[in-house]
Amino acid sequence: MARKIQAIRGMNDILPDQSSVWLYLEKTVAEVVKSYGYQQIRFPIVENTDLFKRGVGETTDIVEKEMYTFEDRNGESLTLRPEGTASCVRAADQAGLLFNQVQRLWYTGPMFRYERPQKGRYRQFHQIGVESFGMATADIDAELIVLSARLWQKLGLLEHVELQLNTIGLASEREAYKAALVDYLTEFKDQLDEDSQRRLSTNPLRILDSKEEATQAILQGAPSLDAFIGEESQSHFERLQTILKANRVPYVINRRLVRGLDYYGKTVFEWVTTHLGAQATVCAGGRYDGLVEQLGGKPTPAVGFAMGIERLVLLLETLSLIPSEAKFSADVFVVSIGDDAEVASTTLAEQLRENLPSLVVLRHCGGGNFKNQMKKADRSEARFTIILGQDEVEQGVCQVKDMSTGEQQTCAFEDLPAYISGNL
Ligand code: ATP
Ligand code: MG
C-alpha cells in the first residue's frame, strides 16, 4: 500500500462535525457586523514579504520568527499572510478606498504563523477581522468594542469573557517610556529571561507581557506607562470609557497590555477567557493611526480587531453553547424500490427542496433492498422517511413514516411539502 501523506503539523482539517459550528459562528458574525454597516473585503493569502515587515514590524515575534516566507519562481520574496490588517490596508489603499473617506470593513480567512502547535495555537489558524478607517475619535473605538460585546452576547459568551483595556499613547510618548523602561531594566539585564534580554534592544515594550515570573518580579518596580501618557491620548481613553459605560460594557484596565504588533497606538484591548488555559485571548485589537502612512498611503486614522475562530469554536464547545439548530441533521430521508420509483424519488425530493428550501432532504442512492435502505434511514436520524415503490408511483402517492412515532401515512405527491412542513 502506498504511504499516506499527512497534513502539515499545526494545520488542521475542519471535519464535517466541526464545520457546522464554524458556519454558525461565521453566520452570526456576518449578521452582527452587517448591522453596524461593515462590508466584507477579500484579499489574497500571499503578499510581498515587505508588506508584513513594514506593516507588522521588523522586531515583532511574527516577523522575527513566525512567518512562512518563500521565494517564488521569479525569486521574489512572498509570505503567507500572518495576519489581516496589513493586507486589508494594502488592498483598501490600492483601490483608493482610504484617502478622505470613511470605511467599515471586515474579512475572514486563514492566517499562517510558524508557532509551537498546542491547544488554541496552530500554524494555520483562522481569524475574523473588523477594521475601520478615516475616523479619529474614540466613538469608533467604542463602536468596535460594543460590536464585539454584542457578538459575545448573541453567542452566549458575554459572561465568559473579560474585556481588558489600555492606552499605549502616541509614538512619541511610547518612545519616552521605552527609554525609561530600558534604563530601569538594563540594571537587571542578567536576571531577565532570554527573550526579554533580546527585546531590551529590539522591542522593550513587549517585555511587559513576558510570562516569566522572574521578569514579572523585576517589572514590579519598573516605571509605569500611564505616567507617560499625554493629554490627547488620556482624554481619548476617557472618552472611550464613558461610551463603554453608557453602553454597559464592563472592562478592566490592564496597564501592562501592549499587544505584539508594532502598529498600535492609543487604544489597545483584548477579550480574554479563563476557559482555554494559556491561549486565553479570543479577540484583540486597537487603534493604528500610523499604519496607512507607514505603508505608503496618506495619513489615515484606523481602529480594528481580529478574533481567533479556533479559540471561539473551542470556547463554544467547552461551554456547550452550540444551539441545536446549528448542528447538521437530516429532516427527510427518501427510499425507493425499483427503477420507476428511483426516478420518481428524485423528482419528489426536488419538489420538497423547491418548496421547503431550509429542509435537509437525503435520498438513498444506489438501490438495494428495502430493509437495508430503512436501516440507513434510521441511521440518518431524519424525522421523516418517504417510501416509494412501484404501486405508489402508479397511484401518484408515497408513504410517509414519522420516525419519532413509527406511524406511517399515505400522501399524494402534490400534498407532500404541506404535510412535511405541517408535521415537522
Ligand atoms: P497570542 O498572544 O495568543 O500569541 P497574538 O497577540 O499573537 O496572540 P493577534 O495577532 O492579535 O494574536 O491575533 C488575534 C487573535 O487571533 C488572537 O487573540 C487569537 O485569538 C488568534 N490567534 C493568534 N495566533 C493564533 C494561533 N497561532 N492559533 C490560533 N489562534 C491564534
Ligand atoms: Mg502570537
Side-chain angles (χ1 to χ4, degrees):
M1 245 195 323
R3 188 176 61 88
K4 285 185 187 166
I5 296 169
Q6 302 282 320
I8 310 294
R9 193 165 120 81
M11 303 201 178
N12 300 315
D13 304 307
I14 295 142
L15 299 174
D17 65 336
Q18 276 223 304
S19 61
S20 51
V21 185
W22 283 62
L23 285 169
Y24 159 66
L25 178 62
E26 286 160 354
K27 182 167 170 265
T28 310
V29 174
E31 283 168 9
V32 171
V33 294
K34 188 178 175 195
S35 76
Y36 287 78
Y38 288 74
Q39 284 186 282
Q40 198 184 50
I41 181 166
R42 301 185 188 210
F43 35 79
I45 285 170
V46 182
E47 299 272 359
N48 267 305
T49 302
D50 279 345
L51 177 68
F52 304 113
K53 282 194 176 166
R54 266 162 69 188
V56 178
E58 295 266 10
T59 62
T60 57
D61 280 356
I62 291 179
V63 173
E64 271 183 350
K65 52 188 187 196
E66 295 175 357
M67 291 204 305
Y68 279 90
T69 296
F70 60 97
E71 280 189 3
D72 74 0
R73 287 172 194 279
N74 270 329
E76 210 176 327
S77 180
L78 305 181
T79 294
L80 299 185
R81 63 185 185 197
E83 59 109 53
T85 303
S87 309
C88 184
V89 168
R90 200 266 315 131
D93 193 44
Q94 188 175 324
L97 300 180
L98 296 185
F99 182 55
N100 260 340
Q101 294 167 71
V102 161
Q103 294 291 347
R104 288 180 165 86
L105 304 174
W106 74 283
Y107 56 82
T108 177
M111 307 293 161
F112 302 83
R113 297 184 194 175
Y114 193 80
E115 304 200 67
R116 192 167 68 77
Q118 54 200 290
K119 184 182 169 199
R121 189 175 296 284
Y122 312 101
R123 289 181 173 172
Q124 173 172 331
F125 63 101
H126 298 74
Q127 285 184 339
I128 296 170
V130 185
E131 318 279 1
S132 71
F133 297 95
M135 293 165 277
T137 48
D139 49 346
I140 183 66
D141 309 35
E143 176 180 290
L144 284 164
I145 292 174
V146 172
L147 176 160
S148 53
R150 178 169 297 283
L151 177 63
W152 312 142
Q153 184 226 325
K154 277 216 167 183
L155 294 169
L157 289 174
L158 194 53
E159 60 192 290
H160 304 285
V161 288
E162 178 186 83
L163 174 62
Q164 300 193 355
L165 207 59
N166 195 18
T167 179
I168 56 171
L170 304 175
S172 57
E173 294 156 7
R174 281 193 303 285
E175 285 314 311
Y177 175 64
K178 270 184 208 169
L181 185 65
V182 170
D183 255 5
Y184 168 82
L185 288 175
T186 304
E187 260 181 68
F188 302 95
K189 185 165 180 189
D190 299 345
Q191 298 162 48
L192 295 174
D193 61 274
E194 210 179 297
D195 261 353
S196 297
Q197 289 191 13
R198 188 172 43 84
R199 284 179 176 148
L200 205 50
S201 55
T202 59
N203 197 347
L205 278 189
R206 279 313 296 281
I207 298 174
L208 294 183
D209 60 19
S210 161
K211 306 274 186 298
E212 300 294 324
E213 259 177 51
T215 301
Q216 277 302 328
I218 294 166
L219 283 169
Q220 291 299 320
S224 170
L225 174 59
D226 51 307
F228 291 75
I229 300 297
E231 170 61 33
E232 185 197 332
S233 308
Q234 192 55 41
S235 65
H236 187 97
F237 195 40
E238 274 156 23
R239 188 75 189 150
L240 167 60
Q241 292 177 57
T242 302
I243 300 174
L244 291 181
K245 281 184 192 136
N247 285 278
R248 296 203 177 79
V249 177
Y251 59 89
V252 295
I253 292 180
N254 174 0
R255 290 296 186 191
R256 293 271 167 84
L257 186 66
V258 288
R259 310 279 307 114
L261 303 96
D262 272 0
Y263 47 63
Y264 289 115
K266 289 187 178 167
T267 311
V268 291
F269 64 92
E270 287 194 0
W271 288 94
V272 297
T273 175
T274 53
H275 299 279
L276 293 180
Q279 275 53 254
T281 304
V282 293
C283 173
R287 181 164 278 280
Y288 52 96
D289 291 344
L291 182 62
V292 178
E293 197 179 6
Q294 204 173 307
L295 291 175
K298 298 265 178 7
T300 306
V303 207
F305 67 76
M307 52 195 141
I309 301 187
E310 283 83 355
R311 290 186 196 176
L312 287 168
V313 167
L314 269 172
L315 193 54
L316 289 169
E317 285 171 347
T318 306
L319 300 167
S320 304
L321 287 174
I322 297 144
S324 54
E325 316 84 83
K327 291 175 188 151
F328 177 87
S329 64
D331 298 303
V332 175
F333 194 94
V334 186
V335 309
S336 62
I337 304 297
D339 287 347
D340 292 345
E342 183 178 85
V343 175
S345 78
T346 63
T347 60
L348 198 58
E350 282 309 308
Q351 186 200 337
L352 277 176
R353 296 180 186 117
E354 178 78 18
N355 287 284
L356 304 169
S358 66
L359 229 55
V360 177
V361 181
L362 271 179
R363 258 192 75 254
H364 174 80
C365 284
N369 69 39
F370 180 68
K371 208 172 142 204
N372 261 334
Q373 292 196 40
M374 286 310 284
K375 254 192 216 158
K376 296 202 170 117
D378 246 345
R379 237 179 280 151
S380 78
E381 293 182 10
R383 171 71 193 282
F384 295 102
T385 300
I386 313 287
I387 303 155
L388 270 175
Q390 187 63 35
D391 288 351
E392 279 82 10
V393 176
E394 278 162 17
Q395 292 164 40
V397 299
C398 60
Q399 304 296 324
V400 185
K401 184 171 177 185
D402 184 334
M403 305 299 275
S404 65
T405 60
E407 267 170 47
Q408 197 164 308
Q409 285 242 304
T410 305
C411 186
F413 284 178
E414 61 273 20
D415 298 336
L416 188 60
Y419 180 85
I420 297 285
S421 68
N423 288 281
L424 251 183

